[in-house]
Amino acid sequence: MATVNGSSENQPAKHQEVGHKSLLQSDALYQYILETSVYPREPAPMKELREVTAKHPWNLMTTSADEGQFLNMLLKLINAKNTMEIGVYTGYSLLSTALALPEDGKILALDINRENYEIGLPIIQKAGVAHKIDFREGPALPLLDQMIQDEKFHGSFDFIFVDADKDNYLNYHKRIIDLIKVGGVIGYDNTLWNGSLVAPPDAPLRKYVRYYRDFVLELNKALAVDPRVEICQLPVGDGITLCRRIS
């Protein structure tokens, strides 16, 4: 996880969990949450995929274990059946979703990199949920544009999770707001962006953190005033904003 100051000098020892994205000030407290409430309940396939993903050079892109648990619970609470995921990586959040959906549930999974998805695919297949997933390789925006031209897709999704290119989050929102049903939920990941949103302008941020920060700030401002949704921003993982469509 990127730090706001880009350095760990004179800082307390940080949590060693690969892909650690918690915004909690206490790493010991985050470890307590993982060991007490998350890992003991983590399904075996998700644990296996988490451990496989930890060996990948881009492992910071993965959804954290506590967020995976949260998504799984949320999907069950809203009785989701037809879902979409924009940004898949190795499929940890995708597997969490697939395990939560009923046997006839469906996930339209969009990502530009099939190779990463295929890292997790054998585990997803072994878990017996691959039949729920329709994976499409390529940029999401052209497909979304096609879908919004077809009335049958309007209001057809119960849940949509977005964890992809932050500079397109608003472009995604403009499209998927028509695809999610009234009463359905959209989840935007990384909306607290490494805690950098409140960093001073001259803070020595890592380049990618600085580049995407303005896009995340823009999204947060837009969602806060969008009358079509109710929102709730939670400090789970790297921040997740839930939007419930109300009109």
Side-chain angles (χ1 to χ4, degrees):
M1 182 177 106
T3 58
V4 169
N5 61 12
S7 170
S8 60
E9 293 181 8
N10 302 319
Q11 298 292 321
K14 301 299 287 181
H15 192 278
Q16 296 304 304
E17 181 73 18
V18 173
H20 171 43
K21 298 180 180 181
S22 175
L23 296 168
L24 288 173
Q25 292 185 0
S26 168
D27 287 325
L29 184 57
Y30 182 57
Q31 182 69 24
Y32 170 81
I33 293 171
L34 292 174
E35 293 183 352
T36 304
S37 301
V38 179
Y39 291 158
R41 295 295 189 99
E42 185 179 35
M46 290 184 64
K47 178 182 179 182
E48 183 180 358
L49 182 50
R50 175 169 56 82
E51 291 174 345
V52 168
T53 303
K55 301 172 185 176
H56 193 274
W58 301 343
N59 57 58
L60 282 177
M61 290 172 55
T62 192
T63 300
S64 61
D66 54 321
E67 186 174 4
Q69 184 186 59
F70 170 74
L71 291 173
N72 185 275
M73 175 75 78
L74 175 64
L75 287 158
K76 292 173 181 174
L77 288 172
I78 66 174
N79 295 313
K81 184 175 180 180
N82 191 37
T83 72
M84 183 192 306
E85 182 159 330
I86 303 175
V88 173
Y89 186 41
T90 62
Y92 186 80
S93 58
L94 184 64
L95 177 56
S96 177
T97 299
L99 290 170
L101 297 184
E103 186 63 19
D104 60 346
K106 298 296 180 185
I107 313 165
L108 177 60
L110 312 178
D111 199 288
I112 60 172
N113 192 320
R114 176 178 288 274
E115 184 177 347
N116 288 335
Y117 169 62
E118 290 180 346
I119 293 173
L121 183 56
I123 299 170
I124 293 171
Q125 292 171 331
K126 186 167 62 174
V129 292
H131 66 283
K132 301 179 185 181
I133 300 168
D134 177 9
F135 180 84
R136 309 282 187 91
E137 183 179 25
L141 288 174
L143 179 58
L144 295 175
D145 284 337
Q146 291 178 24
M147 294 176 72
I148 60 177
Q149 295 301 316
D150 190 337
E151 288 284 340
K152 74 178 182 182
F153 291 114
H154 287 210
S156 64
F157 288 89
D158 305 311
F159 180 77
I160 300 176
F161 183 58
V162 184
D163 183 11
D165 41 335
K166 316 309 169 194
D167 46 347
N168 269 319
Y169 267 28
L170 266 181
N171 289 324
Y172 293 139
H173 186 67
K174 291 172 183 176
R175 291 160 173 80
I176 62 179
I177 192 66
D178 290 327
L179 303 178
I180 197 77
K181 71 179 185 181
V182 174
V185 176
I186 303 169
Y188 290 102
D189 202 18
N190 305 113
T191 59
L192 293 177
W193 199 231
N194 293 256
S196 68
L197 304 187
V198 294
D202 59 347
L205 304 174
R206 294 185 180 183
K207 289 183 179 179
Y208 84 95
V209 174
R210 181 176 298 281
Y211 175 76
Y212 288 112
R213 181 178 65 165
D214 287 346
F215 293 105
V216 177
L217 285 167
E218 185 181 12
L219 172 78
N220 290 340
K221 289 178 182 178
L223 295 180
V225 297
D226 189 337
R228 299 167 296 181
V229 296
E230 297 173 329
I231 68 170
C232 178
Q233 189 172 34
L234 299 170
V236 176
D238 191 27
I240 180 171
T241 299
L242 302 179
C243 305
R244 178 177 176 268
R245 184 180 175 188
I246 57 175
S247 67

